[in-house]
Amino acid sequence: MGWEDAYRKKTPLSGDLFGRSKRLHVNGVSHNIRFFEPYPFVTASSHGKSLVDVDSNSYTDYWMGHWALVLGHRHPAVEAALAAQLSRGWMYGTVNEQTIELSQMISDAVPAAERIRYTASGTEAVMYASRLARAATGRDVIAKVDGGWHGYASDMLKTVNWPFSEPESTGCIHDDRIVSIPYNDTERAVSILEGVGDRLAGIVVEPVLGGAGCIPAQADYLRGLQECARKSGALLVLDEIVTGFRFGHGCVYEEMGLDPDLLTLGKIVGGGMPLGVLCGKEEIMEIANAKAMSRKERCYIGGGTFSANPASMVAGAATLRELKESPAIYERINQMGRDARASLGRTLEGRAQVTGRGSLFMTHFTESGSVVDAAGAARCSGQSLVRYHMHIMAYDGIFILPGKLGAFSSAHTFDDVRDLAEATERFAAADTESISPASPQDARERMAREAIAKFHSL
Ligand SMILES: Cc1ncc(COP(=O)(O)O)c(C=O)c1O
């Protein structure tokens, strides 16, 4: 039986329920990436390293809530903090001590966070960061990286997918106020930035290109961007929404020799509850101080109705406390990531490259070349990757969101690394289809074909 039949056979209730979901929701989902063929399973509960679907199948989960759950699902400390908070109220809409506690923990671990503002999502945090960069400099152009994913705000919804030059979405205004630079190529990036001249307000970059392929930035590249920003009078905005508290207790900017003006955080610092953080240098963040600044001077950066709600605050604080008190967690999950990259790389040698850092890993099916940027990732076979992920989901109960990167949490064990490696061996032995490494043109056509096929199957 092929993987699709095996998957359909074990998920009949999910199939039925997803049919209902399609009648109610666009694409049946509330986030585009949650859809996969033939239909996504419908989750009933989660615990530790596992998701359980409505058909009672259990999956070892490497998606881990968009990589937010570094302690796994329903970690006892986070669950207890949430339960205690629920009995005291989950939505105040007023200043609360829970926020002060989480902010103290963040600012202790992240010295660049001299002032903090909370939002309900990472999207909003980056949206406000770019507004603040423009306000602080009086300039209008924001630079982002080819393939950089910073959420769905209109400003940043540019140059996400190959060929990084076409509109990502209708409904957005397309002009020259977002400029895109190559990743891990300092010379070309700097030359584009120099061309922007004194219109450059800020450079927004992730230290590990996440959604676009789990590709670590070279420290020299990031330092080159920082130098370029400093020379120009622009700001460096580091998006650590994926990397913050992922590899160690804090952010990665310090070890890379960076001194960002603004930082965005999310995911892990919310402990699995909705949260985004914009933080940074006091003199820049204070431009948002509506009391100190006149209407002409100030820059509005939100939050919103749900910002700093006490439930998100206590879930984040419980997570950061646990991580601080048990630093061995990082050693373990980073080692699991290293082991997984090594064993998958060995098994798929000649067919795939496994990228990542610490507890993050992603497989790229390519017979040649090393993947160092989003263009390289786009040239790899997305179809082979999805086939691999669906195969291990259907036969081995291992869930990596098809086509995406995986993350270890403290709920995983080294046995899971072994199971993942063995499942990958079985896939490699069974999968006879050629991966046909794509040229950029092929990659572009393949993406268009896949998008059309997906559209017609709905
Ligand atoms: C680097 C990065 N920035 C921003 C975002 C957007 O965050 P959110 O999905 O919470 O809006 C994401 C989401 O995955 C991300 O990976």
Side-chain angles (χ1 to χ4, degrees):
M1 196 189 311
W3 66 257
E4 182 163 347
D5 290 335
Y7 178 75
R8 284 183 187 277
K9 191 161 177 233
K10 75 184 218 178
T11 57
L13 291 178
S14 279
D16 289 349
L17 264 179
F18 193 71
R20 264 182 74 196
S21 193
K22 279 209 288 193
R23 290 191 288 280
L24 293 164
H25 309 111
V26 180
N27 269 16
V29 291
S30 290
H31 194 319
N32 288 337
I33 57 176
R34 292 185 190 160
F35 175 81
F36 52 86
E37 301 284 5
Y39 51 81
F41 62 81
V42 176
T43 302
S45 65
S46 65
H47 183 257
K49 66 179 184 185
S50 305
L51 285 174
V52 180
D53 71 15
V54 289
D55 291 283
S56 302
N57 299 299
S58 183
Y59 302 87
T60 302
D61 181 18
Y62 291 96
W63 176 226
M64 278 292 156
H66 297 236
W67 325 305
L69 298 169
V70 73
L71 299 178
H73 294 277
R74 290 177 50 205
H75 186 279
V78 183
E79 192 165 7
L82 272 169
Q85 185 57 48
L86 291 185
S87 67
R88 296 162 65 198
W90 51 89
M91 171 58 180
Y92 297 155
T94 51
V95 176
N96 56 71
E97 205 176 338
Q98 292 82 344
T99 304
I100 297 166
E101 196 184 338
L102 177 60
S103 296
Q104 190 65 59
M105 289 172 153
I106 293 175
S107 78
D108 288 349
V110 183
E114 293 173 7
R115 289 286 185 278
I116 295 172
R117 248 300 148 92
Y118 290 101
T119 60
S121 68
T123 297
E124 292 164 84
V126 184
M127 178 181 79
Y128 292 136
S130 63
R131 186 182 299 165
L132 200 47
R134 286 180 172 130
T137 57
R139 300 167 168 196
D140 65 341
V141 174
I142 299 289
K144 75 178 282 293
V145 162
D146 295 340
W149 172 250
H150 305 281
Y152 276 108
S154 299
D155 222 16
M156 303 308 288
L157 192 55
K158 310 262 161 66
T159 70
V160 177
N161 291 295
W162 177 267
F164 316 118
S165 56
E166 291 174 2
E168 296 291 335
S169 166
T170 53
C172 293
I173 291 168
H174 302 290
D175 58 23
D176 65 351
R177 277 171 287 185
I178 294 289
V179 71
S180 199
I181 54 175
Y183 191 64
N184 277 339
D185 183 339
T186 316
E187 211 179 307
R188 276 177 57 222
V190 168
S191 107
I192 293 170
L193 293 170
E194 285 175 353
V196 177
D198 62 7
R199 284 181 62 191
L200 185 66
I203 305 171
V204 181
V205 60
E206 302 160 80
V208 175
L209 196 60
C214 200
I215 305 165
Q218 292 148 10
D220 281 353
Y221 168 75
L222 292 178
R223 283 196 292 268
L225 296 187
Q226 173 168 280
E227 202 183 309
C228 191
R230 295 280 188 273
K231 262 199 217 150
S232 150
L235 305 191
L236 179 70
V237 181
L238 212 58
D239 183 349
E240 293 229 27
I241 285 172
V242 171
T243 54
F245 294 88
R246 166 53 62 186
F247 310 117
H249 195 76
C251 289
V252 299
Y253 70 84
E254 280 178 289
E255 66 165 77
M256 291 189 141
L258 299 171
D259 182 23
D261 300 293
L262 292 173
L263 261 177
T264 50
L265 297 169
K267 301 203 191 269
I268 290 173
V269 287
M273 296 293 284
L275 187 81
V277 181
L278 169 59
C279 54
K281 297 267 162 66
E282 179 183 346
E283 71 268 20
I284 297 162
M285 293 294 292
E286 282 296 321
I287 298 171
N289 185 334
K291 178 141 172 55
M293 293 285 177
S294 72
R295 185 186 283 261
K296 270 197 187 150
E297 294 164 321
R298 75 183 169 221
C299 169
Y300 271 136
I301 58 166
T305 301
F306 300 107
S307 57
N309 72 80
S312 293
M313 297 296 110
V314 299
T319 301
L320 297 197
R321 197 174 302 113
E322 192 68 21
L323 290 169
K324 184 158 191 207
E325 285 169 5
S326 313
I329 287 175
Y330 285 117
E331 278 163 43
R332 264 186 76 242
I333 63 172
N334 291 340
Q335 188 60 45
M336 285 188 237
R338 276 192 291 276
D339 289 358
R341 286 192 294 280
S343 60
L344 302 189
R346 268 195 308 275
T347 300
L348 298 169
E349 199 175 352
R351 299 179 70 184
Q353 188 193 333
V354 187
T355 59
R357 184 192 154 153
S359 50
L360 303 177
F361 63 99
M362 176 149 179
T363 307
H364 301 270
F365 284 85
T366 173
E367 281 162 357
S368 60
S370 71
V371 178
V372 294
D373 58 16
R379 276 194 290 275
C380 299
S381 169
Q383 278 169 354
S384 299
L385 183 59
V386 169
R387 219 164 48 238
Y388 164 47
H389 288 161
M390 289 308 300
H391 193 281
I392 61 177
M393 197 190 310
Y395 295 119
D396 304 286
I398 293 175
F399 180 59
I400 300 173
L401 188 75
K404 297 290 167 194
L405 60 117
F408 284 94
S409 74
S410 63
H412 291 94
T413 65
F414 285 93
D415 285 350
D416 295 314
V417 182
R418 187 205 56 215
D419 291 348
L420 176 62
E422 288 176 0
T424 304
E425 279 167 24
R426 287 191 288 276
F427 162 76
D431 190 71
T432 49
E433 290 187 47
S434 142
I435 59 164
S436 57
S439 68
Q441 184 61 24
D442 290 343
R444 187 173 165 182
E445 283 165 9
R446 171 174 51 72
M447 280 177 182
R449 272 199 309 277
E450 284 173 0
I452 292 165
K454 197 168 274 184
F455 177 78
H456 286 301
S457 70
L458 292 174

